[in-house]
Amino acid sequence: MAERPAHRDPPHARDQKLRDIASVVIVLGSVIGVGLALGALTGFPKGTDAYAHLTRLKLVAEAFPRHEWLFGWSAGMPAFETYPELPYLATAPLTKLFGAPTTLTLIAFAALALLGLGLYGTVRMATGSSLGGLVAALGAIGSMATWTWIVNGGVYARVLAAGLAACACWAAARWLRSGTRRSFAVTALLLAAAIASHQVVGSVFAIGIGVATLAHPGPARFRRSATLALATFLLASPAILPAVLRYGGFASAFLGLDRPQLTSSATVLVDPRHVGVALIPLLVLATVVSWPLRRAVALLLAGLVLCLAYLFAPNLGVPSRLYYVNGIAPFTTTFLVAVVAALAGGFAMGVARGSDRVAWQRHAAGTLALLLVAVNLALSPMALRASADYPRVEDSTASSSIEEIARRTIRVDGADVAHRFLPATAGESVWFSYLYAKPQLRDYYAQGVVHPDWLAWVNAAVYDAPLVVARFRAALDWFAVDSFSVFDDPNFTGNLARFESGDLVRRVAQSDPPAYRQYAVSDARSIWRPTNAPLLVVVGTRDEYDGVARMSLDRGARPGTLVPVWWQGTADQLPSDLLQRAQAVLIEDGRFGDRAGAERSLAAYATNGGRVLLDAHGASPGLSALWPVDGAADEPIAEWHLRASTPSVRLQDFSPPVYDGGPWGAPVATATRPDARVLLDQDRRALVAERSVGAGTFVWIGGNLLYHARAYGNAVESDFLMTLFGRLGRRRGEPSRSGALGRARPRRERRRREPVLSPEVDGALVRRIVAARLLRGARPHLRADAVAGRRAHARARQSMDRLRGVGAGDLRDRSRLVATNGGHVALTSRPASRGTRLCVAVAPGLHLTDRNAECVRTETQRAPEPFEERERRRRVVAEAVEDVRECQIRRRALPAGPVQARPLERGAQRRRREVEEVLARLEVVPKAAERARQQAADIRRDHVDEAARHEQTVQGG
């Protein structure tokens, strides 16, 4: 049989392959050349946001798979719910091998290379012209608007998304041309990857491909578009659904913001530092040569018009809520203008190359187009390097950069995770969490923050003038801030003189020139702290809780005196063990649930000494006999005619009853019960009244006074309302002026226990914290302060992850979990497992978790003592925000760990005998409290962190 000749490509096919290879080499060489000229591929990653991306790269590489919670920002926040995680997950191995800076540089190169190759392939596949594809690729790469997102903004994920989307356009062109399933699958995968790298940029390209699919001639175009959209959505759902489910949709997460925007001059379209000198002339030339316009070119020109409209919207005075996408400033969208203009010019030039025009016209147009992009490639990088204002190459490590000035100034213990640092500016926050494990009380992006209103509150408490000392102390204590910075700007220096006086804080660092000052808080509290303080339970909306919590914090509520807790359910769901800890329960009208059942539970609670308060809204035709008023009518109040039962209330300082220029509409009691006491009345009709129920009290608050005090910021009104909750620092069993906690009962001394910690944790972590006990470690020295003991040992931090369960004993009823997040204290419940001893720990930034793979025990299993039987029902376990995230609070029992024998039992008993007499007399109280040594009632804010606080116990006469 004759041998078959080998298959050979025809000469024109071989020439086309050579042209394609040469074009790819030219594109990659251009990316490398421009990148080196701008310094984008050498040295530390460029751009103001570079540190933020380094933080995420480091977080994923070190914490995977527990990387979803960014504990270092804003008292804890989701790391990737509004910022997709694909680039960081995909490059985690590179980060492990080469470090975050090298990985980020590689991402920059890959993004620009994919962008250039994707544009070349799209035009080449759609028009068959290598020259058209090369013009599109070099036009985009040569525009400094494309590189500005890297070297100035440092938004690497956006550029990577654009590069992947450009390759998706290439695959879509092949799919529309061939119709193969493989091309369809590649298109959907690349589009989903682009969206998973940046939702906004990926969505822009996805919309463009969808429009192109609808416009492409052929059968079943709508079916093809719908199929592509569905496949892309399903593949990209991990990046899309969090924004939809958590923030109420794309519009709620990214749109509708009113913010001032910078205008852009029309010269940016031809400025070599921006779009460049080539693209607009190229677009005009290609349009003329390819006339009449094909459908693809016309659609690209329409897309370019939309990009220009977004760019110049601030110039036209369009309100930002109608168009602004959060994080995408209009003046930065010259990137999209350059990419779409380059793609349109390349398409038009490719169409012109295949037209029936005379050859010299087509060749001349192609030569001129290549000359334009070549000149732009040569001039633009030099212009950007020489620029002193926007846009310019931003190197965060340069000695004159604001980030480097802040980094040289700020002095913190980077390994301290028990306190937070409050930075004044983004110039500090952007690098802080990359360098230090210490959490900060600021984020770098305005997206994904869990409780922005509480962060605004603490910032206002520190920086707004005049300084309100009580609020300042409360904010620092509530968020466990041990130092903060002040930037040399009028927005931050209003209280500078007060800080410099030295009585509140002390200055520990100052930059030269004094752009930054750092102040340390001398009595800083820790994020995690034990407390036996009573609770103020708020059953209502978030606004209700926020107002009451901040009002109480301004007036001395602290983790050691009174803890405001938000119950997000209804009053009929309040658990009994929560009510046992509650000093007062405030219920917002309409949040009773089953009102009869709720009132029965609240009546039993009040009978035992609790205070129940109703924030009345609107008319109430009939109230039960528990309340001090029969009913209420909603009436307009034009002016106050107030009388108070206590002459100390400064009624003349109440703010006027005005709402939106009209009278104040509010509920006023229609009738008061005979045994009720009116505390405040309007025209002899009760606005605030109380009625005794057993040892407790039911209080009705009308007049919308809580909202009125909050809306006007009236301190006198807030002081009056705060007295309704009872005195701060009252303990259960202590006599109260209001009778909220019932009768005083005789007390007896109780034998102190001193649990011995396992040597596994080096005696540095408190394993069993109860307010009535003193603690010591496995070493002989006493340890009275659990938090200080934890900080005193470096090894303690290493064993935090191993510490899950605490102590021993069994819990037969349900335990309530207290979790705080950015100022909110929320409650949930779960059945507690046998063998787990729980302790109370309340502070902002605490989250609860049931992920205890190794439950370390320190005591053998034993029956609970009588006093422990009462105490254990109200304890919770908390872990620092650094270890968990919000979704880890589950209704599941903690797995019981193996029972461990105490190897130091004999030594512990011997030492116990030696210190028993000392422990029997010892109380850990500040010197200022010596006047009331045996009175547990005087628990003040200075005692917050006394983990071994003595508690008076109950004994029969």
Side-chain angles (χ1 to χ4, degrees):
M1 179 180 290
E3 192 174 305
R4 295 182 61 181
H7 174 74
R8 293 184 179 180
D9 293 332
H12 69 277
R14 290 198 300 269
D15 293 343
Q16 184 60 58
K17 284 185 177 181
L18 291 175
R19 285 194 294 270
D20 288 341
I21 294 173
S23 298
V24 169
V25 172
I26 292 173
V27 170
L28 295 179
S30 300
V31 171
I32 295 173
V34 177
L36 293 176
L38 297 177
L41 304 181
T42 58
F44 192 80
K46 305 303 186 291
T48 54
D49 285 8
Y51 270 119
H53 294 283
L54 293 174
T55 300
R56 285 192 166 98
L57 285 170
K58 183 179 178 181
L59 173 71
V60 173
E62 294 182 352
F64 182 85
R66 296 167 49 201
H67 62 280
E68 297 290 344
W69 188 253
L70 185 53
F71 68 87
W73 285 4
S74 297
M77 59 181 286
F80 295 109
E81 284 192 354
T82 60
Y83 209 95
E85 59 189 311
L86 179 62
Y88 312 96
L89 284 174
T91 58
L94 293 177
T95 306
K96 281 282 191 181
L97 290 174
F98 305 111
T102 300
T103 301
L104 196 58
T105 301
L106 292 175
I107 290 176
F109 171 75
L112 270 301
L114 290 175
L115 179 64
L117 295 176
L119 294 180
Y120 172 81
T122 301
V123 176
R124 167 73 177 80
M125 183 60 62
T127 66
S129 172
S130 298
L131 186 141
L134 194 59
V135 167
L138 297 182
I141 292 172
S143 173
M144 293 302 99
T146 306
W147 288 88
T148 296
W149 274 13
I150 293 289
V151 299
N152 182 270
V155 285
Y156 290 77
R158 293 188 198 176
V159 186
L160 181 60
L164 292 169
C167 293
C169 293
W170 183 359
R174 187 178 184 87
W175 171 54
L176 293 176
R177 185 173 182 176
S178 64
T180 62
R181 294 181 178 179
R182 180 181 301 175
S183 299
F184 169 82
V186 173
T187 303
L189 282 171
L190 288 172
L191 266 184
I195 295 173
S197 297
H198 195 278
Q199 293 110 321
V200 176
V201 175
S203 298
V204 169
F205 280 86
I207 292 171
I209 292 177
V211 172
T213 304
L214 287 173
H216 190 270
R221 62 182 69 181
F222 291 101
R223 180 179 59 82
R224 288 186 300 177
S225 298
T227 304
L228 179 62
L230 178 61
T232 302
F233 175 81
L234 292 176
L235 291 170
S237 57
I240 298 174
L241 291 180
V244 174
L245 298 178
R246 181 178 176 88
Y247 301 98
F250 180 88
S252 299
F254 297 103
L255 302 177
L257 298 178
D258 279 313
R259 292 188 177 179
Q261 301 296 334
L262 297 177
T263 59
S264 300
S265 172
T267 59
V268 300
L269 300 178
V270 294
D271 191 328
R273 301 173 304 164
H274 292 276
V275 176
V277 298
L279 289 181
I280 298 302
L282 171 65
L283 198 58
V284 174
L285 172 66
T287 302
V288 171
V289 174
S290 63
W291 194 268
L293 296 179
R294 299 287 182 90
R295 183 180 304 174
V297 178
L299 289 175
L300 286 170
L301 290 176
L304 178 61
V305 170
L306 291 177
C307 294
L308 291 172
Y310 190 91
L311 173 64
F312 293 113
N315 300 58
L316 303 176
V318 180
S320 66
R321 66 179 180 275
L322 301 179
Y323 68 91
Y324 174 63
V325 179
N326 190 13
I328 311 293
F331 73 91
T332 68
T333 54
T334 51
F335 176 95
L336 295 176
V337 171
V339 171
V340 177
L343 191 58
F347 254 94
M349 190 57 61
V351 170
R353 295 286 292 178
S355 66
D356 55 359
R357 287 182 177 272
V358 293
W360 72 267
Q361 291 179 345
R362 290 184 280 112
H363 294 322
T367 303
L368 185 56
L370 287 176
L371 182 62
L372 283 172
V373 295
V375 170
N376 193 61
L377 271 170
L379 293 180
S380 295
M382 293 187 294
L384 185 57
R385 288 287 295 181
S387 178
D389 53 6
Y390 180 84
R392 65 182 181 186
V393 178
E394 291 285 355
D395 186 357
S396 299
T397 60
S399 59
S400 59
S401 69
I402 195 68
E403 293 86 359
E404 184 63 17
I405 293 174
R407 195 183 66 82
R408 293 196 306 261
T409 304
I410 304 303
R411 304 173 184 174
V412 298
D413 177 5
D416 175 21
V417 295
H419 304 88
R420 295 188 180 95
F421 172 69
L422 172 61
T425 65
E428 305 154 83
S429 65
V430 66
W431 55 262
F432 191 87
S433 294
Y434 172 64
L435 297 180
Y436 303 132
K438 185 185 185 71
Q440 59 170 315
L441 200 58
R442 184 188 172 99
D443 63 285
Y444 186 66
Y445 296 104
Q447 303 164 353
V449 180
V450 180
H451 298 296
D453 49 346
W454 277 91
L455 297 181
W457 174 75
V458 68
N459 275 272
V462 174
Y463 297 115
D464 283 3
L467 185 72
V468 180
V469 175
R471 184 174 302 162
F472 173 79
R473 293 184 182 278
L476 298 184
D477 180 86
W478 190 247
F479 283 95
V481 175
D482 65 352
S483 66
F484 61 92
S485 64
V486 174
F487 184 60
D488 190 20
D489 182 91
N491 291 321
F492 302 97
T493 56
N495 299 318
L496 187 60
R498 189 73 171 85
F499 297 153
E500 288 290 334
S501 64
D503 59 329
L504 288 176
V505 293
R506 58 186 177 85
R507 176 158 51 86
V508 294
Q510 177 174 316
S511 63
D512 185 20
Y516 287 103
R517 296 177 176 86
Q518 182 186 0
Y519 295 90
V521 181
S522 57
D523 57 345
R525 309 301 188 186
S526 61
I527 293 175
W528 189 95
R529 67 192 87 170
T531 180
N532 264 354
L535 307 179
L536 169 57
V537 180
V538 179
V539 183
T541 63
R542 173 174 292 186
D543 288 339
E544 183 83 357
Y545 170 78
D546 288 353
V548 173
R550 292 169 192 167
M551 179 179 70
S552 61
L553 289 171
D554 282 353
R555 284 152 187 82
R558 300 289 187 275
T561 57
L562 182 68
V563 179
V565 170
W566 182 24
W567 180 258
Q568 302 180 49
T570 52
D572 60 333
Q573 299 171 341
L574 283 169
S576 59
D577 51 351
L578 175 65
L579 293 177
Q580 290 176 7
R581 285 289 310 278
Q583 170 176 309
V585 177
L586 172 68
I587 304 168
E588 187 177 10
D589 214 347
R591 299 297 292 263
F592 279 95
D594 177 8
R595 184 149 189 157
E599 290 186 342
R600 284 194 299 270
S601 174
L602 294 171
Y605 159 70
T607 301
N608 293 324
R611 296 183 65 82
V612 181
L613 301 93
L614 172 62
D615 182 15
H617 296 335
S620 301
L623 296 175
S624 71
L626 293 171
W627 301 101
V629 300
D630 286 330
D634 197 2
E635 300 180 1
I637 302 175
E639 60 180 29
W640 293 127
H641 300 117
L642 299 173
R643 291 190 315 165
S645 62
T646 304
S648 60
V649 181
R650 305 200 312 268
L651 300 176
Q652 68 277 10
D653 293 331
F654 276 39
S655 298
V658 177
Y659 180 79
D660 199 19
W664 184 262
V668 182
T670 55
T672 306
R673 301 193 189 280
D675 57 348
R677 178 176 175 234
V678 177
L679 304 179
L680 185 69
D681 69 71
Q682 164 75 9
D683 287 331
R684 299 185 180 277
R685 296 171 62 188
L687 280 185
V688 179
E690 67 177 8
R691 177 178 177 271
S692 296
V693 176
T697 309
F698 270 69
V699 182
W700 182 85
I701 305 174
N704 282 338
L705 290 179
L706 283 169
Y707 177 75
H708 189 268
R710 181 168 70 251
Y712 282 92
N714 190 295
V716 174
E717 296 179 35
S718 298
D719 290 341
F720 166 72
L721 292 170
M722 191 63 196
T723 62
L724 304 177
F725 299 119
R727 184 160 54 90
L728 290 179
R730 259 188 305 112
R731 316 289 287 188
R732 182 166 295 278
E734 174 197 349
S736 170
R737 300 190 190 103
S738 60
L741 291 183
R743 302 185 306 271
R745 289 171 290 186
R747 61 181 186 267
R748 64 176 174 84
E749 286 298 320
R750 184 178 64 202
R751 180 174 179 265
R752 277 78 167 174
R753 298 180 55 84
E754 39 154 339
V756 178
L757 306 187
S758 166
E760 180 181 3
V761 294
D762 195 27
L765 291 178
V766 174
R767 306 297 307 281
R768 184 163 170 249
I769 302 175
V770 182
R773 293 174 171 82
L774 291 173
L775 306 171
R776 71 177 176 84
R779 296 173 181 175
H781 60 279
L782 292 175
R783 190 176 310 285
D785 187 341
V787 176
R790 176 183 177 275
R791 296 187 61 198
H793 296 269
R795 289 180 57 190
R797 301 188 185 97
Q798 301 174 3
S799 55
M800 278 295 290
D801 285 338
R802 299 199 305 271
L803 187 60
R804 296 297 179 262
V806 285
D810 64 0
L811 289 172
R812 289 171 295 192
D813 50 1
R814 302 177 66 86
S815 296
R816 298 293 159 180
L817 307 183
V818 179
T820 70
N821 190 351
H824 289 274
V825 184
L827 292 177
T828 183
S829 65
R830 69 175 180 209
S833 65
R834 182 177 181 87
T836 304
R837 180 165 302 285
L838 305 178
C839 63
V840 178
V842 179
L846 293 184
H847 291 260
L848 303 179
T849 179
D850 49 15
R851 51 170 190 79
N852 57 341
E854 30 186 337
C855 181
V856 184
R857 296 289 182 86
T858 61
E859 294 181 293
T860 55
Q861 192 76 17
R862 56 173 177 80
E865 296 179 8
F867 63 86
E868 291 177 294
E869 183 71 22
R870 293 188 300 270
E871 290 173 343
R872 68 185 181 185
R873 296 193 183 112
R874 64 175 182 266
R875 297 180 191 154
V876 302
V877 153
E879 288 186 293
V881 68
E882 290 78 17
D883 290 335
V884 300
R885 57 168 300 177
E886 190 172 1
C887 69
Q888 288 175 310
I889 304 176
R890 303 186 182 95
R891 299 174 64 92
R892 182 166 63 84
L894 291 169
V899 177
Q900 297 181 2
R902 291 186 292 177
L904 302 180
E905 180 66 26
R906 291 188 298 273
Q909 291 176 352
R910 184 170 58 253
R911 287 168 181 164
R912 184 172 297 141
R913 288 195 300 269
E914 295 172 356
V915 300
E916 189 69 38
E917 294 183 1
V918 177
L919 292 177
R921 299 190 303 269
L922 182 59
E923 289 192 53
V924 183
V925 295
K927 293 181 179 179
E930 288 178 354
R931 58 178 178 81
R933 183 175 177 276
Q934 292 296 331
Q935 296 181 6
D938 291 335
I939 307 296
R940 302 184 182 276
R941 57 182 299 277
D942 296 317
H943 306 179
V944 171
D945 289 326
E946 296 292 346
R949 184 70 187 169
H950 172 63
E951 179 187 59
Q952 302 295 343
T953 59
V954 179
Q955 166 183 294

